[in-house]
Amino acid sequence: MNIMRCISVAAAMVVLTGCGMVGGKTAEFACPRAGILKEAAAITKFRPGPGRDLTDVIYQARLINLKAVCKYGRKGVTVDMTLALAAERGPAIQGIKATLEYFVAIAGPGGSILAKKEFATPVAFPNNVTQARVADELQQIIPLRSGASGANHRIIVGFQLQRAELEYNRQQPRR
């Protein structure tokens, strides 16, 4: 399932190479770097309550791949991204659907977060299917002044975790 989503933000990152105009000449600019935050690359969603064993799992999901390409224009840089997510239903799931919530953040020079947006992507587990994959298409339109490069910025993607989910991830062996 592909979902086109657009975000306008005030920063950028580095992945490939793009071109821009500087003083009437074409200049080569690096694209903003885009990556998945390790600590937020997976989520295990448990049913409400204190139980945290296998029978309490609603679903588990991972951000498995992020591809990004960019193109510089007069107003800044456009970064087209494809995010691949994988999910596995757990014994505690109610129904055949789950919603995976993740964020896309832009970090500026020095690492400060300049913009962040959350997304909710549905995933369906038809009868007798325990695993599913989803691909979201996103577009970052990052305003930059003329002749500026987005090379010193980053795009960070991760699941939108609660504190307990983050602590759970930190306790798990490296995946």
Side-chain angles (χ1 to χ4, degrees):
M1 168 182 3
N2 287 333
I3 301 171
M4 178 56 90
R5 311 230 172 128
C6 296
I7 306 171
S8 264
V9 292
M13 294 192 62
V14 187
V15 172
L16 300 171
T17 302
C19 297
M21 295 297 288
V22 177
K25 297 181 181 178
T26 300
E28 294 293 320
F29 292 126
C31 289
R33 289 179 291 142
I36 298 169
L37 183 63
K38 280 186 183 180
E39 288 186 325
I43 187 170
T44 300
K45 190 63 93 175
F46 293 98
R47 73 171 129 210
R52 292 296 176 261
D53 66 23
L54 180 60
T55 62
D56 297 310
V57 173
I58 298 171
Y59 65 83
Q60 293 181 305
R62 293 175 291 116
L63 300 172
I64 55 175
N65 194 19
L66 178 63
K67 293 181 181 177
V69 295
C70 82
K71 182 178 181 182
Y72 279 84
R74 290 182 179 206
K75 295 182 180 182
V77 62
T78 299
V79 182
D80 291 317
M81 299 183 297
T82 302
L83 176 64
L85 304 93
E88 184 173 343
R89 74 188 303 159
I93 197 167
Q94 299 291 315
I96 63 169
K97 294 182 182 178
T99 301
L100 307 179
E101 296 177 356
Y102 66 92
F103 66 86
V104 177
I106 306 301
S112 62
I113 301 298
L114 303 174
K116 178 182 172 190
K117 182 156 178 138
E118 297 175 15
F119 298 93
T121 297
V123 62
F125 302 101
N127 291 334
N128 299 322
V129 174
T130 60
Q131 297 181 351
R133 290 186 182 228
V134 177
D136 273 1
E137 293 180 356
L138 304 125
Q139 185 178 73
Q140 301 284 328
I141 302 170
I142 304 164
L144 296 172
R145 68 183 186 284
S146 180
S149 171
N152 57 354
H153 295 73
R154 296 185 311 139
I155 298 173
I156 305 163
V157 179
F159 281 111
Q160 188 62 43
L161 303 174
Q162 302 296 321
R163 181 168 296 284
E165 294 166 336
L166 178 60
E167 290 304 319
Y168 181 83
N169 281 359
R170 289 176 174 164
Q171 295 170 6
Q172 300 308 303
R174 293 282 180 206
R175 299 176 191 200

